[in-house]
Amino acid sequence: MQDHAAAVAATGSGTELLDSAVARVVRESGASVAMLYLLPRNDTTLHLAVLAGVPGQLASPWARVPLSAPMPVADAVRLRCLIWLGSQEELARRYPRAALVLPYQFALAAAPVRTGAAERGGLVLLWPGSHPPQATPDEREAVVRGCHGIGLLLEQAESSGYPVLAGNQPRVLPQPEPPEPDRDEAVAAAEFIERLPGGSCALALDGTVTYLNDAAAALLGSEAGDVCGTLPWISLPWLDDPAVEDHYRAAVISRQQTSFTVLRPPGQWLSFHLFPTDTGISVRILPTSEPGPTPVPAPALPPSSGVPSRATALYHLMHLAATLTEAVGTQDVIELAGDQVMPAFRIQTLVVMTSVEGRLRVEGRRGSHPALMDRFDGAPLASPTPAAHVLTTGIPDFYPTFAELEQAYPSAGLRNAVAACAFLPLTVSGRPIGSLVLAYDRPHPFEPEERALLTSIAGLLAQALDRARLYDTKDRLAHSLQAHLLPQRLPRIAGLDVAARYLPSTRGMGIGGDFYDLIRLDDTTAAAAIGDVQGHNENAAALMGQVRTAVHASAGAPPDEVLTRTNRLLTDLDPGLFTSCLYVHLDLAGHSACLATAGHPAPLVRQPDGQTEVLDLPPGLLLGIDPAARYPTTRIRLLPGAALALYTDGLVEAPGVDFDDATAELAAHFALALEQDMEAVADTLVRYAKRYTPGKDDIALLLINALLRPED
C-alpha cells in the first residue's frame, strides 16, 4: 500500500487518460514540445502533469508555476486567452525570467484549459526555431481545439468521481517510433554511414548515446560499449563542460542544427554537428586543426557519478537566482529552493532551520520526509545536534552514509529517515542565520565539486532568506496597522446579512489605502462606504483613516452631502493623493438604497431571482481635486433577498483584460452564489480574485444582503 501511495504521489492519478489528447494536439498543431499543467480545485499553483517532446529534467524548473508568476502559462490561465510568442526576442521582452534560463530560438503558445466557468489548467506548446514569427490560423485552431478536448476529458473524469491529479513528477510521453527499415534498407544505411567522413553518433532526446560507429569511437578515444547508454558529458571527462550540454539543450528545445568545437586532450580538436528531430539527435564528429567559432576548452575538474553535470547545475542555479529575485516571503524562498535545488542534485528532502531566541526553529520543509527535523524543532543551540552545530560554527557538515552521521551524533535519532545528508550554514555577512538540511534516501558520496556547489547554493539562499525575513517583519507590521485602521468587526444590523474582506497587495509593504465601512444609523437605516486612496504606503494608509473618519462624521446625511463634505476636507488637507469613494444610504423599511460615487467602480446588484448587473451611476470627481465638485445621487429598489457587492478595483483589474469584461465575470460569480450566505459568497469572490488578478493592488470587498424584516 505504501509503495502504491508513493507511486501515485510521484506520477499522479489518471494522467494516462490524457496521453492521446496531448499527442493529438502536438500532431495537429505541428508543435515539437508540449507541457500540460493541471490546476487543482481551490489551488493557486499550476502543476505539470504531462510532458512530450523533451526529457523530464529539462522541464523540472517549471514543474510548479504559481498563477501569479510572470510566466506565459500563468498569464494564459489568469487572462483566459491564448498567448503567442513568436521569437526569443519577444520572450525576453515580455517574460525576461523565462528567457534568461532558455536563451534558445523557438516559438511558444500558451493557452488555458477550461470547461464553462471551471479553470482546469493550461497547455504550453513549443515549435522549432525555424517557425515563422506568426502562428497560422490552423495552428491556433488546433491549440484551441486541443485545449477544449483536454478540458472535456478532465470534466468527465471529475464527474465520474475519479479526477485526474498531477503527481510530483510529470508523465513523459514516449518518443514517436521511427519507421522500421527492412534488411536491405538497414544494410544500405549502415554502408552509407561508414562511407561518411569522420564519425557518426546518435543521441536519444534525453542525451544518452544510442549508437556510435567505430570511427566515432576512435575520435572520442573510447570503446563504443563504454559510451553507449551514457550521457557523453558524464562518461567522457573532457566533455564535462556547461557549454557542451548547453548545445545539446539548444538542439533539443529549438530543434535546430547546432555545432561546436572541443579540445580532446592532449591536443586533438574535434567539431561536433548536432541534427535534432522528434526522435533523437544525429551527431557528426570531425577532426579539425583549428578551433571553431565556439570552442569549448577541456574542463579542469573530472566528473563524478554523484554530481550532476555542471550544465545541469548551472541551469537550475540560474533559474533559482532569477526566481529568488521575485520571492517576497520566507515560504516563497523555501518553495523556490525546493523546486530548483532538489531535482538538480537528486535530493529527497530539504529543510530550512533558523535560530529564534537561542533555539532551533523549522521555517519550512519539502520532500519525501517533510517532518525530518521536527524532533529538533525548539532544541537549544547548545544541544548536540548537527543542525545546531552548523548554525553556531558556520562550518558545513557532509555525511555520505548514515553510519558516519550516527558516529558523529549518536543521539541524532534519524535512522529511519535518512541514508545520507548534508548540513549547510545559511550565512549572511559572515553571520550564520540558520541551517539548510539536505537528505537523501540512499548513501550519497559528496565529491569536492558538489560540496562547493551546495555551499554556494546555501549562501544564495541565506541572502534571499534574510531579505524575506525582513519583508515578513514589515508585512506583519503593515497588517497590524491595516487591521487597526479598518473596522475590527461589522455591526449587527437587523435585516442585513453582511460580510467584508480585505486582501493586501502582494507587492511592496502590503499597506494600502483601500477601506470599507458599515454604519448603523438607527433601527431602519444604515450606511455603507468603500473607497481607495491612491498609493501603497503609510501615507495612503494614514489618509485612508482620515477619509473613514470624515465619512463617519457625516453619515446619515444624503450621500451627495457626505461626499461633498469629505471632498472639502481632503482639498483643505491637500495630501497630494486622490481618493475614490462610494457611499450608500440604506433604507431598510422602504426597501431602497441611495448611492453616490466619487470616481469609484459602481457596485453589483443581485436581484432576488439571481439576475445580476452593474449599477449605472452618474460619475463624480475623485475626492481631493476640486472643492466645488458635486456628486449626483441614484436611488434604487432593494427588495428582500436582493444583495449589493461593493469592491475596489483590485478585485477585477488584470493586465490585458478589459475592465468591463472583468466586472461582468465577477457579476457572474456573484450570481452563481445565490443560495449562499454572504460569508460564503465573500470567500467565493476572494478565491476568484486570487486566481485571476495579479495581486499587485489591494482588495476591499463589502457584501450586503437585504433580508426580510419581521415587521415587513
Side-chain angles (χ1 to χ4, degrees):
M1 288 296 292
Q2 290 181 343
D3 291 342
H4 175 72
V8 169
T11 62
S13 173
T15 50
E16 67 277 1
L17 297 174
L18 306 173
D19 288 2
S20 60
V22 174
R24 184 182 305 111
V25 71
V26 169
R27 183 173 60 254
E28 293 180 354
S29 66
S32 54
V33 176
M35 303 170 68
L36 175 62
Y37 288 86
L38 298 183
L39 181 63
R41 184 182 294 274
N42 298 326
D43 199 347
T44 58
T45 298
L46 294 160
H47 299 260
L48 182 59
V50 181
L51 179 66
V54 292
Q57 66 267 23
L58 291 190
S60 58
W62 295 280
R64 299 167 69 255
V65 178
L67 281 176
S68 59
M71 300 292 290
V73 67
D75 281 357
V77 174
R78 284 192 302 102
L79 304 180
R80 302 181 181 182
C81 66
L82 187 150
I83 291 177
W84 174 263
L85 302 169
S87 67
Q88 220 279 330
E89 291 76 14
E90 187 176 4
L91 177 69
R93 185 174 67 254
R94 296 177 59 182
Y95 300 96
R97 190 179 96 186
L100 177 66
V101 186
L102 292 173
Y104 313 120
Q105 293 296 329
F106 56 85
L108 179 149
V113 175
R114 58 198 305 258
T115 53
E119 303 295 338
R120 301 193 177 276
L123 179 67
V124 177
L125 297 173
L126 271 60
W127 283 262
S130 57
H131 192 284
Q134 301 300 323
T136 67
D138 288 344
E139 288 169 339
R140 289 180 176 270
E141 173 60 27
V143 174
V144 173
R145 185 171 58 248
C147 289
H148 179 69
I150 293 170
L152 291 178
L153 286 175
L154 294 171
E155 183 180 48
Q156 292 168 3
E158 185 177 64
S159 62
S160 67
Y162 298 95
V164 177
L165 304 175
N168 296 332
Q169 301 295 327
R171 179 178 177 84
V172 181
L173 299 189
Q175 301 170 14
E177 291 290 337
E180 187 74 25
D182 59 28
R183 183 179 181 282
D184 291 342
E185 290 175 330
V187 171
E191 292 177 349
F192 170 77
I193 292 172
E194 292 304 320
R195 287 194 294 268
L196 291 174
S200 297
C201 173
L203 306 178
L205 284 182
D206 65 1
T208 56
V209 179
T210 58
Y211 170 79
L212 191 73
N213 70 355
D214 292 340
L219 288 171
L220 296 177
S222 181
E223 297 292 332
D226 295 334
V227 178
C228 284
T230 72
L231 295 171
W233 44 85
I234 297 297
S235 56
L236 300 170
W238 49 277
L239 279 180
D240 181 34
D241 187 278
V244 171
E245 194 175 347
D246 188 63
H247 282 290
Y248 149 74
R249 293 180 189 275
V252 171
I253 293 173
S254 70
R255 293 293 204 270
Q256 289 187 304
Q257 176 187 348
T258 182
S259 302
F260 57 92
T261 304
V262 179
L263 175 64
R264 194 200 85 186
Q268 176 64 66
W269 287 95
L270 298 175
S271 63
F272 290 76
H273 306 271
L274 280 61
F275 302 88
T277 69
D278 290 343
T279 59
I281 303 173
S282 299
V283 183
R284 294 288 296 137
I285 308 172
L286 298 169
T288 181
S289 57
E290 296 291 336
T294 55
V296 179
L301 295 174
S304 167
S305 60
V307 185
S309 69
R310 277 177 279 186
T312 298
L314 290 175
Y315 176 66
H316 286 275
L317 291 182
M318 184 177 292
H319 196 279
L320 175 63
T323 53
L324 283 178
T325 62
E326 299 170 0
V328 293
T330 301
Q331 292 307 312
D332 285 343
V333 172
I334 294 168
E335 290 294 314
L336 291 170
D339 287 343
Q340 305 307 319
V341 177
M342 293 176 69
F345 291 87
R346 307 177 186 95
I347 297 163
Q348 280 70 55
T349 303
L350 178 149
V351 181
V352 172
M353 306 190 76
T354 59
S355 168
V356 177
E357 297 180 352
R359 294 181 177 274
L360 293 172
R361 183 174 74 182
V362 173
E363 292 284 355
R365 73 286 305 276
R366 284 281 301 277
S368 56
H369 298 291
L372 178 65
M373 292 287 114
D374 279 358
R375 69 200 68 188
F376 301 137
D377 196 14
L381 293 183
S383 61
T385 64
H389 178 262
V390 166
L391 195 153
T392 54
T393 64
I395 301 173
D397 283 335
F398 298 91
Y399 300 98
T401 65
F402 176 76
E404 294 177 67
L405 174 63
E406 190 174 40
Q407 183 179 4
Y409 296 94
S411 60
L414 298 174
R415 176 175 296 278
N416 296 323
V418 300
C421 56
F423 295 85
L424 303 164
L426 298 171
T427 305
V428 177
S429 300
R431 174 178 57 88
I433 64 169
S435 301
L436 175 65
V437 185
L438 307 176
Y440 302 77
D441 290 345
R442 299 178 181 178
H444 184 88
F446 294 98
E447 300 295 339
E449 186 176 5
E450 184 179 20
R451 295 185 182 211
L453 281 170
L454 291 176
T455 303
S456 298
I457 289 171
L460 184 65
L461 290 179
Q463 295 178 35
L465 188 63
D466 194 48
R467 293 193 302 270
R469 293 171 73 185
L470 178 60
Y471 172 87
D472 287 341
T473 300
K474 290 183 176 180
D475 193 51
R476 286 193 295 270
L477 176 62
H479 285 150
S480 176
L481 176 59
Q482 194 81 42
H484 284 85
L485 289 173
L486 290 172
Q488 298 299 304
R489 63 179 63 85
L490 295 177
R492 292 188 177 184
I493 300 176
L496 293 182
D497 175 20
V498 297
R501 296 289 187 274
Y502 173 79
L503 278 72
S505 68
T506 58
R507 293 288 186 261
M509 283 185 62
I511 231 177
D514 288 22
F515 67 92
Y516 59 84
D517 222 335
L518 183 67
I519 307 164
R520 182 183 183 278
L521 300 175
D522 57 36
D523 291 343
T524 61
T525 59
I530 195 162
D532 184 358
V533 179
Q534 174 192 17
H536 297 89
N537 52 40
E538 62 276 11
N539 293 332
L543 183 59
M544 178 264 281
Q546 291 174 311
V547 174
R548 275 198 65 220
T549 300
V551 170
H552 258 273
S554 301
D560 57 336
E561 188 173 336
V562 172
L563 293 183
T564 298
R565 292 177 183 176
T566 306
N567 177 56
R568 288 173 181 164
L569 170 67
L570 293 189
T571 52
D572 289 343
L573 291 174
D574 191 21
L577 299 174
F578 304 135
T579 302
S580 71
C581 185
L582 173 71
Y583 182 86
V584 184
H585 181 89
L586 299 164
D587 182 355
L588 305 181
H591 304 301
S592 67
C594 190
L595 307 90
T597 179
H600 197 82
L604 305 177
V605 59
R606 188 183 69 193
Q607 301 299 341
D609 62 359
Q611 181 180 348
T612 305
E613 62 179 346
V614 181
L615 283 178
D616 184 13
L617 300 181
L621 197 62
L622 291 168
L623 303 176
I625 297 178
D626 180 5
R630 294 293 180 262
Y631 300 95
T633 60
T634 300
R635 184 173 295 276
I636 64 169
R637 293 284 289 164
L638 195 64
L639 298 174
L644 290 172
L646 285 60
Y647 55 91
T648 54
D649 52 14
L651 188 66
V652 290
E653 281 191 340
V657 178
D658 181 78
F659 187 86
D660 291 339
D661 292 341
T663 306
E665 188 70 29
L666 178 68
H669 282 76
F670 192 36
L672 290 173
L674 182 63
E675 302 301 325
Q676 301 176 4
D677 62 25
M678 290 299 101
E679 287 291 339
V681 177
D683 290 338
T684 297
L685 298 185
V686 164
R687 285 195 296 269
Y688 162 82
K690 286 183 175 180
R691 282 195 172 196
Y692 304 121
T693 61
K696 295 182 180 179
D697 197 3
D698 301 354
I699 294 172
L701 173 66
L702 178 60
L703 302 178
I704 303 169
N705 186 24
L707 304 175
L708 183 66
R709 293 166 61 88
E711 58 270 25
D712 292 336

